[in-house]
Structures are given as C-alpha cells and as structure tokens.
C-alpha cells in the first residue's frame, strides 16, 4: 500500500507496473487512488525515475483519492430493489433464492407494497437532494407473478421514483409491455442461449418446459424501446455460444446486454461455474464480435458489465453498476426489500437469513437496517483488509465481487469471489482498448455527459 | 581523404533511427456518483421510443 501524504504536501507516486499484454503499451497504476497511465514499454523505467507523469500525479493524486474515498464510504442509498413476491414460474439452476420460496412462497399484498413505497419515499426524501428521484427496481423471484400490485404501485408512485423491472420475460405480454413502456419503466429480461437447447440447460419451468421462445417473443415486443436490456448468465452450459448470443441480441436490436458471470452464492450455481480462463476466452470473443457488428452496422450493443469496468478506469464515479467497487453498493448505495417486508443489503442475500437487517415498516426500519450487524458485515467488506486483494493493483477497478458469493464460498467475508483471474483479464483488456483508442466503441453514446475531465494527458 | 570519427552518441543517431515513442495516455473524469445498478440489473435511463 502507498503511504498517504500529509495535507498540503505533494504525494510521491507509488506506481505499480502492469503488463497488459499490449504490443506497445504497459500500465502504471497507483492502486490507492486508482490513478493510472499507459506508457510506451520502453519508457516505463524512465517514468518511474521521474518526469512529467509524476508531476501530473502529484497535481491530482489527492483529488483522486478523495473522490474514491467518497465513492467507497460516503454514499447514501438512492435506490431500492423491491421483491413483490417470493414466487417464480421458473426454476433456474443457478438462482440465488431458495427453491422453496420460489415454488410456494407468498406475494406482498398491494396494501403492504403501497405502505412500503410510502415509507421508502419518505426515507429517500430525507436523504437525497431536492429534485433527485430515487430508483425503485422490481426484482425477483419473478415480479410479474404479482403484476396487479406492481402496476398499481408504479402508477401510485409515478412522481416519486424512477422505476425499473427485472423479469424473466415469460410474462411480458403485450399488455405488460404497453403499460411499462408508456411509463418509461426500464426493463431487463433474461436469456441464456442463442437457441432453446442452450437456454433450456439452465432456465426452465418447474415442469422442465422451455421458455426460450416466450422470451424471444417478449424481446420482439420490446424492439424499438430504448430503455431495455437483456442479461445472459455465463455458465459452463452456454460458454461456447456467447458469440452466437451476441449476434442474436444485435439482430434483435437489444440496446444493452450483460454477460454476467454466474454468481456462486448457492451450491446449485457452482455446478455450472465456468473456469476463469475459458470464461475469458469466450467473453472476449463475444466482446470482439460486438465491435465488429458495430463497425459493420453502425449500431452498438453495449455489454454493460464490461462497460462498467471501462468506466471504472476512466471515470470511477460514473459507474452504473455498483458490484465492482469495494465496499460494493449493497447496503449503502442501495438495499433490497424482500416480499415479507425484511430488508437485506442486496437481493443476492435474500436467501441468507443472517443478513436480514429487520423489517421496513418497523420504527426507524431503514435506519436500523443500515446500522445493523447484518448490513455492516457487508458494507464493512473492504479489499484493503484481506489478501490477495490488499496487494492487488486493480483492486479498485474490480472490487472483489461478490460479498454474498465470497461469504458462502469461503465461510467469511475475507477472500475473493469466484472469478478473480477473469476480472484481471477484463481490466487488461479494457486498458488495451484505451491504448488503441477504441474504448468509446464499447460504451454507451454520451456515457460521459455530465462528467468533468480532471486531466487528460493526450490533450 | 579525411576520416570523420563519430562519438558514440553521434554514431547511434546516424546508424540507428530512433523508434517513435508512443505518447503517454492518462485520463480521469469525474461526476457526482449515482450508480445503483448491480449484476442482476442495469438501469437504462433513456426515454422510451414509444
């Protein structure tokens, strides 16, 4: 770790050289501030000895450190993941929610949902700047199993929240799409393969029926809507087909997708956990295909989880996803409300009772949950506190996700999650794209609107 | 004929063209953080097309 400089003095660089696998460039990183530079490989030794880059570092390092500290430790929640039901009509092999809940659990009543949103609105009004709306994302299990309550809640609180909905897509019929798109609700659906055979390997109904074509039909209904995305969970079952999946998504005009690693929180997920090296090969082939498709068609298909790594490098505070930062966003940037009214740091923890932070509608329910041992166990997970992350140069680009996964796999919060080597590969790939001037081709148009440039050595 | 003897540095300049040095790249942008997405969901803020 680098030593912090006393206030008012210029910090000395503590650069770590990094071979990023580029023919010309190597990286120098200061892990504590997430300051980085790409240099001609022949100049690395000279730069470590002195020169203009050190001056840039001295000028900006403290601002970078302060910014990173604020992002990691000073946020207040501005979003909630709402589980309006425990039930799901699918039995996906890697789900992080217990099967008994998904099969025969209960719905949240409309009255309870409205009371919950009222409490949440009042809380966010007390903590967020005036004029800022919190995010409320209906999440699963499958939220459209409790469709009437969800839609009534969206209309009742239209002025108070920016709504989103993550669904398996099987219940997203014409009426649902019309309702949600008319209200600009951000919609996410899930599909794991370019063909039914591949999707069926991980995502099926309780009676083992295929849902692939139903999800494709939902995607057709969403075509032309800008605020939607598709999540594909990368497992041993679909790894050879990621590039074909990208082609399918692009052909169906999906604006954004995620190629997520399977979260290995519950044992079922670990049965389809891919090897890091194989995952990297398939993932980067898929990313390369998005680039080719963009060059050929002029239309981007952004892979959001990778885009978030790129953004974490160039503009740490502009992250859209809060998994790849330590502590992660769970219990501090957002929290989750289970269908029984209990609060959890993140939906990923809902199957783990020890992370129940108490009831939303109890006195001081949210404040008590945020201060609870259950939440502090997650918000206190810090990459500086355990190896190998504390010695890793990219720890603030990766964040060592995910605490639920790490806890269940390692028996404690210390220790990496399931895909340490894959994250390192992603950071190297991202730095190579920056070196080649291609980064913007992998990001949303206008991704940096509203940002300010602290420094840009090329200008 | 007069022979010109080059210093070592002059010899290198004459006989070995200096390779172009790739320019250094370092960028940092900043904004007010408001990310609340997670691996199960990414918020798309753009207005609906319909």
């Amino acid at each position: 770790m680098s030593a912090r400089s006393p206030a008012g003095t210029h910090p000395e660089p503590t650069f770590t050289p990094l071979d990023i696998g580029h023919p010309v460039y190597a990286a120098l990183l200061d892990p504590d501030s997430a300051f980085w530079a790409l240099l001609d490989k022949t100049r690395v030794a000279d730069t470590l000895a002195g020169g203009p880059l050190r001056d840039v570092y001295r000028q900006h390092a403290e601002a970078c450190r302060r910014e990173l500290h604020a992002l990691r430790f000073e946020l207040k929640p501005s979003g909630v993941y709402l589980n309006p039901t425990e039930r799901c009509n699918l039995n996906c092999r890697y789900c992080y929610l217990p099967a008994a809940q998904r099969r025969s659990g209960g719905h949240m009543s409309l009255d309870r949902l409205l009371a919950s949103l009222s409490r949440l609105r009042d809380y966010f009004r007390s903590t967020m700047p005036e004029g800022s709306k919190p995010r409320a994302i209906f999440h699963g299990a499958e939220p459209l199993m409790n469709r009437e309550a969800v839609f009534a809640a969206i209309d009742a609180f239209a002025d108070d929240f920016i709504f989103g909905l993550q669904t398996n897509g099987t219940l997203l019929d014409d009426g649902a799409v019309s309702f949600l798109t008319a209200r600009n609700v951000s919609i996410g659906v899930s599909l794991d393969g370019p063909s039914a055979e591949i999707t069926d390997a991980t995502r099926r109904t309780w009676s083992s029926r295929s849902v692939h074509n139903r999800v494709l039909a939902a995607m057709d209904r969403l075509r032309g809507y800008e605020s939607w995305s598709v999540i594909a969970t990368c497992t041993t079952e679909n790894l050879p087909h990621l590039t074909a999946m990208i082609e399918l998504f692009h052909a169906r005009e999906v604006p954004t997708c995620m190629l997520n690693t399977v979260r290995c929180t519950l044992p079922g997920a670990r049965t389809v956990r891919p090897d890091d090296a194989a995952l990297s090969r398939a993932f980067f082939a898929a990313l390369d295909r998005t680039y080719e498709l963009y060059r050929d068609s002029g239309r981007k298909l952004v892979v959001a989880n990778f885009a978030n790594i790129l953004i974490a490098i160039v503009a740490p505070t502009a992250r859209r996803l809060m998994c790849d930062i330590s502590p992660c966003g769970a219990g501090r940037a957002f929290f989750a409300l289970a269908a029984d009214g209990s609060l959890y740091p993140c939906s990923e923890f809902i199957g783990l009772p020890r992370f129940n932070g108490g009831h939303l509608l109890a006195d001081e329910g949210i404040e008590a949950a945020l201060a609870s041992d259950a939440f502090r166990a997650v918000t206190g997970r810090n990459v500086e506190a355990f190896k190998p992350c504390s010695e890793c140069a990219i720890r603030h680009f990766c964040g060592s996700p995910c605490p639920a996964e790490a806890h269940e796999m390692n028996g404690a919060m210390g220790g990496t999650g399931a895909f340490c080597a894959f994250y390192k590969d992603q950071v190297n790939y991202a730095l190579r794209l920056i070196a080649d001037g291609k980064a913007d081709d992998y990001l949303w148009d206008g991704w940096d609107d509203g940002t300010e440039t602290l420094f840009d050595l090329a200008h | 004929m007069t022979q010109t003897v080059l210093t070592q540095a002059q010899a290198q300049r004459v006989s070995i063209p200096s390779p172009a040095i790739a320019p250094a790249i370092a960028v940092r942008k900043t904004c007010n953080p408001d990310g609340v997405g997670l691996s199960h969901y990414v918020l798309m803020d753009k207005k609906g097309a319909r």
Side-chain angles (χ1 to χ4, degrees):
Chain A
M1 285 176 61
S2 61
R4 287 177 184 270
S5 300
T9 65
H10 297 298
E12 285 302 313
T14 51
F15 291 138
T16 302
L18 192 67
D19 180 358
I20 61 170
H22 192 275
V24 176
Y25 280 99
L28 286 185
L29 295 97
D30 171 40
D32 280 351
S33 62
F35 180 99
W36 58 270
L38 295 173
L39 299 169
D40 191 304
K41 286 178 176 180
T42 64
R43 308 297 291 179
V44 171
D46 293 345
T47 304
L48 286 170
L53 184 65
R54 293 169 67 96
D55 297 337
V56 173
Y57 175 88
R58 287 193 184 97
Q59 189 178 347
H60 296 289
E62 272 309 309
C64 291
R65 282 202 183 102
R66 280 197 303 272
E67 174 191 67
L68 204 58
H69 188 273
L71 178 67
R72 298 179 59 210
F73 301 110
E74 297 172 11
L75 296 184
K76 289 188 175 179
S78 59
V80 58
Y81 286 81
L82 295 151
N83 287 246
T85 179
E86 292 177 327
R87 288 187 213 164
C88 187
N89 55 339
L90 303 191
N91 183 27
C92 302
R93 288 174 66 182
Y94 47 70
C95 188
Y96 54 89
L97 296 169
Q101 277 187 24
R102 289 183 283 117
R103 186 159 205 166
S104 53
H107 289 334
M108 186 183 284
S109 70
L110 175 59
D111 286 348
R112 177 64 66 87
L113 181 55
L114 296 176
S116 298
L117 280 164
S118 179
R119 178 68 69 94
L120 290 160
R121 176 197 58 202
D122 294 346
Y123 168 75
F124 287 121
R125 277 182 181 165
S126 73
T127 59
M128 293 182 66
E130 194 172 339
S132 296
K133 281 187 185 180
R135 325 274 193 177
I137 298 107
F138 290 102
H139 210 246
E142 174 47 50
L144 290 180
M145 296 284 282
N146 194 9
R147 168 174 164 158
E148 285 187 18
V150 168
F151 286 6
I154 288 172
D155 273 344
F157 288 88
D159 295 335
D160 301 306
F161 293 93
I162 299 170
F163 282 107
L165 180 138
Q166 182 66 36
T167 168
N168 62 34
T170 60
L171 304 175
L172 208 51
D173 59 20
D174 286 335
V177 169
S178 295
F179 178 91
L180 295 166
T181 57
R183 289 157 179 79
N184 286 323
V185 174
S186 175
I187 302 167
V189 301
S190 297
L191 189 73
D192 278 3
S195 65
E197 181 187 5
I198 307 305
T199 298
D200 295 352
T202 47
R203 302 182 65 80
R204 285 182 290 186
T205 68
W206 290 97
S207 54
S208 292
R209 290 187 180 162
S210 175
V211 295
H212 182 82
N213 289 332
R214 284 161 68 184
V215 179
L216 288 184
M219 290 167 60
D220 283 342
R221 293 185 188 102
L222 290 166
R223 194 182 293 210
Y225 185 56
E226 291 190 25
S227 303
W228 71 292
S229 60
V230 182
I231 293 178
T233 299
C234 300
T235 67
T236 51
E237 306 301 305
N238 64 5
L239 217 55
H241 308 282
L242 294 190
T243 298
M245 197 142 49
I246 286 296
E247 289 169 352
L248 176 121
F249 291 167
H250 191 267
R252 288 175 182 261
E253 299 178 20
V254 175
T256 294
C257 71
M258 291 208 275
L259 301 179
N260 286 335
T261 56
V262 61
R263 285 275 184 249
C264 297
T265 302
L266 294 189
R270 293 169 216 159
T271 65
V272 289
R273 171 188 174 181
D275 167 75
D276 280 59
L279 177 59
S280 290
R281 282 193 300 274
F283 186 86
F284 298 135
L287 278 181
D288 290 345
R289 188 68 183 128
T290 66
Y291 180 76
E292 292 169 359
L293 290 167
Y294 171 51
R295 286 295 167 192
D296 291 346
S297 69
R299 180 162 48 81
K300 287 180 180 175
L301 168 57
V302 175
V303 180
N305 50 311
F306 175 72
N308 209 58
I309 298 284
L310 263 175
I311 292 173
I313 294 170
V314 178
T317 48
R319 283 171 162 88
R320 292 195 186 192
L321 309 177
M322 292 295 284
C323 293
D324 311 328
I325 181 83
S326 172
C328 72
R332 62 182 197 93
F334 55 80
F335 50 81
L337 176 66
D340 68 357
S342 300
L343 293 167
Y344 291 83
C346 168
S347 293
E348 192 76 31
F349 287 96
I350 286 178
L352 308 173
R354 65 179 293 177
F355 293 99
N356 183 333
H359 205 282
L360 170 69
L361 297 179
D363 287 344
E364 305 290 326
I366 298 172
E367 291 84 351
L370 295 176
S372 67
D373 289 343
F375 274 51
R376 285 182 182 276
V378 179
T379 58
R381 181 174 182 266
N382 182 340
V383 283
E384 275 106 0
F386 55 86
K387 291 181 179 178
C389 301
S390 59
E391 297 170 344
C392 179
I394 64 156
R395 57 182 175 263
H396 295 316
F397 302 145
C398 153
S400 193
C402 148
E405 181 181 66
H407 185 273
E408 293 306 294
M409 290 179 68
N410 305 330
M413 284 296 179
T416 64
F419 297 101
C420 178
F422 174 58
Y423 270 90
K424 289 178 178 172
D425 288 345
Q426 282 190 88
V427 171
N428 285 344
Y429 188 97
L431 289 168
R432 291 198 295 272
L433 291 181
I434 294 169
D436 290 336
K438 293 180 177 175
D440 280 348
D441 294 340
Y442 292 77
L443 297 170
W444 296 275
D445 291 339
W447 73 270
D448 57 351
D449 291 348
T451 66
E452 293 177 22
T453 301
L454 274 180
F455 57 85
D456 184 348
L457 218 59
H459 298 92
Chain B
M1 192 173 167
T2 308
Q3 186 178 38
T4 305
V5 178
L6 300 177
T7 64
Q8 187 175 357
Q10 287 171 323
Q12 283 183 338
R13 280 204 299 272
V14 170
S15 61
I16 307 171
S18 297
I21 301 296
I25 301 168
V27 185
R28 180 91 158 214
K29 296 172 184 267
T30 187
C31 63
N32 287 324
D34 65 353
V36 295
L38 45 71
S39 61
H40 305 304
Y41 180 79
V42 58
L43 192 76
M44 303 293 294
D45 276 326
K46 291 180 179 176
K47 294 286 185 188
R50 308 177 183 181

